[in-house]
Amino acid sequence: MSENYLTLKQLIEVVDIPENSCKRYLQEHEDFLNYKKVHNRYMIHVSAVETLKIIRKLYGEGLKKEAVDEHLRGAGVPVTITMDSEDSTALVSVNEELQELKKMMQLQMEFNQRLVQQMESDKQEMQEKFNKEIEGLKTLLNRHESEKVEQLRLSMSKSVEEITEASKKAVEDMEAKFEAKIEEEKNRGFFSRLFGK
């Protein structure tokens, strides 16, 4: 057997706990004890020795199974899960797995933070570009509006000139007609004007 594991007999000699009590502790607190059964024989990992001593002490103080489990959890004793594999029973430390998960979550959080920062940076950059484009469009629009206003002013100026010219011509035509009428009236005799002929 591996030098990291003790048989039940070796364990009893090390911890000075009766065999039946050791078996009971292994069965009732298996989540906290790293061991495996090989052909109905217990093989206890050396890391379980101190935990067994703590369990024995707690029972000696009058604690029940649930209180002992609670104390072990609170003391940070590693939790182990027994998993069946093809060759033998392997023990996996839940704390190691949790540490790995914690590292992965930390990496994920760091990645997410970098991603959020990059998104904020990209958003700010896009906002600045958008603002520049808006300013450019405003300038272009103002220039275009100025040109339109100038064209409208010129057009109105031409229209006013044309209207003024047309009005002058109309007035001149009316004056000419009026003068012609006056001249005609002058040429007609007094009586013809009187009798309307």
Side-chain angles (χ1 to χ4, degrees):
M1 285 293 144
S2 171
E3 60 186 41
N4 292 331
Y5 286 89
L6 304 171
T7 63
L8 191 56
K9 255 184 195 177
Q10 291 170 326
L11 178 68
I12 292 167
E13 289 173 12
V14 173
V15 292
D16 194 28
I17 301 172
E19 185 176 336
N20 289 339
S21 294
C22 274
K23 284 182 182 179
R24 184 169 51 91
Y25 297 161
L26 289 169
Q27 291 167 356
E28 290 183 354
H29 304 287
E30 64 183 341
D31 291 348
F32 301 97
L33 299 167
N34 189 348
Y35 75 94
K36 57 186 174 181
K37 279 179 98 174
V38 180
H39 305 293
N40 289 334
R41 290 180 54 205
Y42 286 97
M43 297 302 298
I44 301 96
H45 195 270
V46 291
S47 63
V49 172
E50 287 306 312
T51 307
L52 278 166
K53 288 179 180 178
I54 293 169
I55 291 171
R56 178 69 171 177
K57 179 179 172 278
L58 293 171
Y59 275 111
E61 293 174 2
L63 273 67
K64 301 286 184 213
K65 178 187 178 309
E66 292 77 16
V68 171
D69 282 347
E70 189 63 36
H71 183 276
L72 293 173
R73 264 188 227 98
V77 175
V79 176
T80 58
I81 299 174
T82 303
M83 299 175 61
D84 293 327
S85 66
E86 293 175 6
D87 302 329
S88 64
T89 302
L91 294 175
V92 177
S93 171
V94 172
N95 285 355
E96 289 173 14
E97 294 299 316
L98 289 175
Q99 288 296 336
E100 283 298 313
L101 283 173
K102 190 175 177 182
K103 284 179 190 173
M104 287 172 55
M105 286 178 65
Q106 185 66 31
L107 289 173
Q108 185 65 42
M109 284 174 58
E110 289 171 7
F111 174 77
N112 288 348
Q113 285 175 344
R114 284 195 302 269
L115 190 61
V116 166
Q117 288 171 349
Q118 184 63 43
M119 286 171 64
E120 284 296 321
S121 174
D122 291 348
K123 180 181 168 187
Q124 189 173 359
E125 189 177 317
M126 286 173 65
Q127 185 67 42
E128 287 171 5
K129 284 181 181 177
F130 178 74
N131 288 343
K132 283 181 183 176
E133 286 181 21
I134 291 293
E135 286 302 315
L137 286 173
K138 281 182 182 176
T139 304
L140 188 64
L141 187 61
N142 286 339
R143 190 179 309 138
H144 186 65
E145 287 296 318
S146 296
E147 289 171 3
K148 275 193 164 186
V149 166
E150 184 62 25
Q151 286 175 355
L152 185 60
R153 190 184 64 75
L154 289 172
S155 174
M156 285 176 67
S157 179
K158 283 181 183 176
S159 296
V160 167
E161 286 175 14
E162 288 172 3
I163 289 170
T164 305
E165 286 297 318
S167 295
K168 268 182 169 178
K169 189 172 186 221
V171 167
E172 287 172 0
D173 287 348
M174 282 178 65
E175 284 177 351
K177 282 183 186 178
F178 186 67
E179 284 177 12
K181 190 83 165 159
I182 290 176
E183 200 55 43
E184 186 184 318
E185 286 295 320
K186 278 185 188 177
N187 291 338
R188 276 176 58 196
F190 171 75
F191 289 106
S192 49
R193 278 186 270 164
L194 187 64
F195 297 112
K197 288 187 180 182

